[in-house]
């Protein structure tokens, strides 16, 4: 019997782009120094009161609109009560689905291996992050820098059928958040974290009927997209094997498991049966506030062009291939760099070849420790370089040398070409003079040249290159030399 997997994601995205935290005035900024960006609220001191960050609400609404959710009339927050050292107030301010959070019942279209897919969104809500705890050998330390940072949680319906689909969706949402300008989505800074829910069911049964669904297992806090893909694959295998072995009812139980990157397995942590009751209630210290039509319209109007829209534009307007356009838009900053180069007047195809080829190779080389932010060659320098080649001042081979020299010496391409005398001689009359000189110095070879069988042409071009130390434009030199030789009086 065949089985199909049902997979739902709870994707957390930390907004890195607000100045302050979501309910406190502490700076929202990543720091390697623990407990640097904190205010009494984040530490849960008695009597602290939350103040809602308007920017964070705007960002959350923007995201809610992009995932086609319905926005509420009023914003409410709720308390989720639990006891844990990373949440010293003993409650987290969040939004449950009742009353309506920042968005419900939407959908996201994304692409997986070239196929169009749609996943339904159950809800999207804004909450505060907990502090981060670090479990050392015999002690645990807590860093409150992250506490009360704005965190957006997106909950999908169980519409994914494979690890690849879940991964493609996460990649898609990462670009959405980046392009919206709400988060850097830097995995090294823990900006994206996922809970992964997996079950399998008999593939012949009706998936619309929840009675046919299998037992759901949840993997908490999977931190990399590759990890999400692999833990799903592992769980599908584990659950399928249990069905085949007849041990499904005892081995696949409602529980929270942990993805262990090192062994590539999931490990049971706690059963869902004794799940805590969070005793949700409306947060009394934040009065509900109305999302006016004007405010919502203003927010909607501020939504910028997103990655998949840019990609379409690159294909339609710049005739780039789907493959090239996909690579270009993957990281917003790379795409912005490309856009700027084109805006300066560079040919889009040329600019794309440089960015996707030489530049990404440099940035992806981990030995370089380069990012597009600290990359020496600016869009305007890339534009210069492309122009130096297109107007034949230098050959494309020289262009590559100039590129490396610019990065090595931190010197502008124009300057390198000048300092190293790399300019090609492209002036017809200048080349003609050299052609004449070469002819008068080689009368015997000129007489021996046979227009029907111009084997000696290479010899003459060699002489021109020798005289100009390789700088004569080869195609102009060849054309002029051949004309002269063909008409030479023999
Ligand atoms: P819980 O109350 O256990 O947290 P929710 O209903 O809030 O469960 O759903 C959490 C996530 O689990 C959602 O992403 C949802 O799509 C997913 N999910 C629900 N049922 C299943 C299932 N049978 N198989 C896989 N995923 C599921
Ligand atoms: Mg849940």
């Amino acid at each position: 019997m065949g089985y199909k997997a049902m997979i739902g994601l709870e994707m957390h995205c930390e907004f890195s782009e607000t100045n302050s935290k979501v309910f406190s005035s502490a700076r929202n900024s990543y720091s390697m120094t623990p407990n640097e960006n904190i205010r009494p609220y984040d530490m849960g001191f008695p009597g602290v009161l939350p103040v809602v960050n308007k920017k964070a609400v705007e960002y959350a609404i923007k995201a809610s609109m992009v995932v086609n959710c319905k926005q509420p009339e009023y914003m409410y927050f709720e308390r989720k009560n639990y006891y844990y050292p990373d949440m010293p107030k003993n409650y987290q301010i969040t939004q449950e689905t009742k009353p309506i959070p920042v968005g419900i019942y939407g959908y996201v279209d994304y692409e997986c291996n070239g196929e169009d897919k749609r996943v339904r969104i159950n809800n999207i809500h804004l909450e505060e992050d907990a502090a981060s705890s670090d479990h050392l050998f015999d002690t645990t330390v807590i860093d409150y820098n992250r506490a009360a940072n704005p965190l957006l949680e997106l909950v999908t319906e169980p519409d994914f059928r494979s690890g690849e689909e879940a991964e493609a969706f996460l990649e898609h949402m990462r670009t959405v958040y980046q392009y919206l300008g709400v988060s850097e989505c830097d995995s090294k800074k823990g900006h994206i974290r996922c809970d992964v829910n997996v079950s399998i069911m008999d593939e012949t049964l009706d998936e619309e009927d929840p009675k046919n669904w299998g037992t759901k297992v949840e993997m908490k806090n999977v931190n990399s997209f590759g990890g999400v893909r692999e833990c799903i694959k592992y769980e599908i295998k584990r659950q399928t094997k249990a069905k085949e072995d007849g041990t499904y009812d005892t081995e696949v139980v409602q529980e929270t498991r942990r993805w262990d990157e090192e062994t590539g397995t999931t490990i049971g942590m706690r059963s869902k049966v004794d799940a805590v009751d969070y005793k949700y209630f409306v947060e009394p210290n934040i009065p509900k506030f109305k999302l006016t039509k004007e405010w919502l319209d203003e927010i909607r109007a501020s939504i910028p062009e997103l990655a998949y829209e840019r990609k379409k534009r690159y294909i339609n307007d710049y005739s780039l291939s789907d493959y090239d356009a996909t690579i270009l838009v993957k990281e917003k900053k790379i795409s912005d760099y490309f856009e700027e180069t084109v805006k300066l007047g560079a040919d889009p195809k040329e600019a794309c070849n440089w960015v996707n080829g030489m530049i990404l190779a440099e940035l992806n080389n981990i030995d370089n420790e380069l990012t597009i932010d600290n990359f020496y060659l600016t869009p305007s320098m890339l534009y210069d370089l492309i122009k130096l080649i297109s107007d034949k001042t230098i050959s494309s081979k020289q262009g590559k040398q100039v590129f490396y020299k610019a990065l090595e010496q931190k010197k502008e391409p124009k300057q390198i070409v000048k300092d190293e005398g790399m300019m090609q001689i492209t002036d017809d009359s200048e080349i003609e003079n050299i052609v004449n000189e070469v002819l008068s110095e080689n009368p015997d070879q000129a007489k021996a040249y046979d227009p029907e069988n111009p084997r000696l042409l290479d010899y003459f071009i060699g002489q021109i290159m020798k005289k100009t130390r390789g700088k004569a434009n080869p195609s102009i030199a060849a054309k002029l030399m051949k004309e002269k030789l063909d008409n030479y009086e023999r």
Side-chain angles (χ1 to χ4, degrees):
M1 183 160 55
Y3 301 97
K4 72 174 153 200
M6 304 191 61
I7 302 148
L9 295 176
E10 293 159 89
M11 178 189 193
H12 293 89
C13 168
E14 183 144 335
F15 289 159
S16 59
E17 303 303 299
T18 59
N19 292 328
S20 54
K21 296 185 176 182
V22 63
F23 301 125
S24 110
S25 61
R27 208 148 56 99
N28 172 11
S29 155
Y30 183 77
S31 170
M32 297 293 278
T33 313
N35 300 311
E36 194 181 40
N37 302 322
I38 53 174
R39 302 283 302 153
Y41 177 86
D42 317 321
M43 310 284 295
F45 285 4
V48 288
L49 290 171
V51 177
V52 181
N53 182 332
K54 187 175 173 191
K55 201 87 220 166
V57 173
E58 276 178 12
Y59 284 178
I61 294 172
K62 253 191 222 195
S64 163
M65 288 170 168
V66 169
V67 300
N68 305 294
C69 276
K70 178 172 147 29
Q71 289 81 47
E73 209 184 328
Y74 288 93
M75 272 291 270
Y76 294 85
F77 286 96
E78 288 172 291
R79 270 192 198 185
K80 175 179 179 176
N81 297 282
Y82 67 93
Y83 177 80
Y84 202 70
D86 67 5
M87 187 55 78
K89 301 194 304 302
N90 295 335
Y91 59 85
Q92 177 193 30
I93 301 184
T94 178
Q95 301 182 298
E96 260 286 280
T97 36
K98 272 180 210 155
I100 300 178
V102 78
I104 51 164
Y105 308 146
Y107 64 88
V108 171
D109 291 326
Y110 67 101
E111 231 178 69
C112 178
N113 295 328
E115 260 181 73
D116 291 330
K117 299 275 174 187
R118 173 169 289 190
V119 56
R120 289 166 302 152
I121 302 302
N122 177 279
N123 78 84
I124 184 165
H125 56 267
L126 180 63
E127 58 192 20
E128 60 183 330
D129 206 348
S132 45
S133 30
D134 205 353
H135 305 287
L136 305 178
F137 172 63
D138 58 357
T139 183
T140 294
V141 289
I142 300 186
D143 174 7
Y144 290 93
N145 280 341
R146 209 181 68 183
N149 259 354
L151 196 65
L152 190 73
E153 180 174 348
L154 181 66
V155 182
T156 78
E157 296 294 348
D159 291 347
F160 304 108
R161 294 287 168 268
S162 69
E164 280 77 14
E165 285 182 14
E167 185 185 26
F169 167 79
L170 291 171
E171 290 282 2
H172 175 93
M173 285 311 300
R174 197 172 85 97
T175 66
V176 167
Y177 292 138
Q178 273 189 355
Y179 278 71
L180 282 180
V182 302
S183 179
E184 273 181 279
C185 298
D186 187 338
S187 56
K188 288 195 284 298
K189 297 179 184 168
H191 289 157
I192 303 281
R193 281 162 271 154
C194 269
D195 301 340
V196 184
N197 301 274
V198 182
S199 68
I200 59 168
M201 65 175 277
D202 178 347
E203 67 180 353
T204 58
L205 297 179
D206 175 15
E207 66 182 43
E208 299 297 325
D209 186 352
K211 274 206 302 293
N212 296 328
W213 296 2
T215 305
K216 178 188 85 162
V217 167
E218 180 182 40
M219 269 70 62
K220 279 256 181 232
N221 274 322
V222 186
N223 287 330
S224 75
F225 296 172
V228 170
R229 184 192 60 230
E230 292 307 313
C231 85
I232 291 171
K233 279 193 182 165
Y234 179 83
E235 266 308 305
I236 294 175
K237 239 193 237 155
R238 185 180 75 89
Q239 295 179 23
T240 307
K241 183 159 188 308
K243 282 261 192 205
E244 284 162 357
D245 293 352
T247 55
Y248 184 81
D249 291 342
T250 50
E251 272 181 31
V252 180
V253 291
Q254 267 217 30
E255 64 175 348
T256 301
R257 296 174 76 85
R258 183 171 67 81
W259 167 242
D260 188 66
E261 195 96 37
E262 245 145 64
T263 56
T265 59
T266 63
I267 299 160
M269 281 164 67
R270 56 175 184 266
S271 145
K272 268 263 177 187
V273 180
D274 42 50
V276 239
D277 176 359
Y278 293 116
K279 307 268 185 223
Y280 284 95
F281 60 85
V282 171
E283 167 57 47
N285 290 325
I286 304 176
K288 66 174 185 185
F289 54 94
K290 196 173 165 67
L291 301 180
T292 62
K293 187 181 172 299
E294 291 72 32
W295 195 27
L296 290 178
D297 286 347
E298 208 177 285
I299 293 171
R300 195 179 286 282
S302 75
I303 294 173
E305 181 185 46
L306 299 176
Y308 53 91
E309 293 162 334
R310 263 197 195 180
K311 180 177 146 181
K312 260 193 234 145
R313 183 161 59 81
Y314 290 176
I315 295 171
N316 294 336
D317 296 4
Y318 298 156
S319 313
L320 299 184
S321 67
D322 188 291
Y323 177 79
D324 271 332
T326 305
I327 296 177
L328 274 180
V329 302
K330 193 161 177 237
E331 295 284 339
K332 175 161 190 290
K333 285 181 177 171
I334 302 282
S335 169
D336 287 345
Y337 181 100
F338 165 78
E339 298 251 319
E340 234 176 291
T341 312
V342 172
K343 230 179 250 158
L344 289 166
D347 175 64
K349 270 207 171 129
E350 288 297 326
C352 166
N353 287 343
W354 278 98
V355 173
N356 283 356
M358 306 278 280
I359 293 179
L360 281 185
E362 285 298 303
L363 296 178
N364 292 338
N365 181 344
I366 41 171
D367 294 338
N368 286 340
E369 295 192 359
L370 282 175
T371 65
I372 196 75
D373 293 324
N374 65 16
F375 194 60
Y376 173 74
L377 201 81
T378 61
S380 113
M381 290 187 219
L382 176 61
Y383 165 73
D384 287 343
L385 182 55
I386 291 172
K387 189 151 180 298
L388 285 165
I389 299 167
S390 68
D391 65 17
K392 299 205 164 57
T393 307
I394 56 173
S395 67
S396 50
K397 195 171 147 205
Q398 283 174 313
K400 287 194 175 145
Q401 293 163 358
V402 171
F403 173 83
Y404 289 122
K405 284 189 176 168
L407 296 183
E408 241 163 64
Q409 303 173 8
K410 306 248 181 294
K411 211 185 212 183
E412 292 210 21
K414 276 200 281 202
Q415 198 60 42
I416 290 169
V417 169
K418 209 185 218 169
D419 290 354
E420 308 211 354
M422 289 173 117
M423 275 86 76
Q424 283 195 340
I425 304 169
T426 52
D427 182 62
D428 279 16
S429 61
E430 200 175 325
I431 294 177
E432 194 175 348
N433 288 339
I434 300 160
V435 165
N436 288 335
E437 266 176 49
V438 170
L439 281 174
S440 65
E441 284 164 16
N442 297 279
D444 295 345
Q445 284 85 345
K447 277 202 190 97
Y449 173 90
D450 176 5
E452 299 299 312
N453 183 11
R455 267 179 307 136
L456 273 172
L457 183 61
D458 284 346
Y459 167 78
F460 283 97
I461 292 168
Q463 295 302 307
I464 296 173
M465 290 305 173
K466 213 160 148 191
K467 265 190 184 299
T468 59
R469 277 186 267 124
K471 283 185 220 157
N473 178 288
S475 62
I476 302 177
K479 182 173 154 273
L480 292 179
M481 194 78 224
K482 189 165 186 306
E483 271 170 27
K484 291 270 175 185
L485 282 168
D486 286 349
N487 302 313
Y488 193 79
E489 300 233 352
R490 313 192 155 78

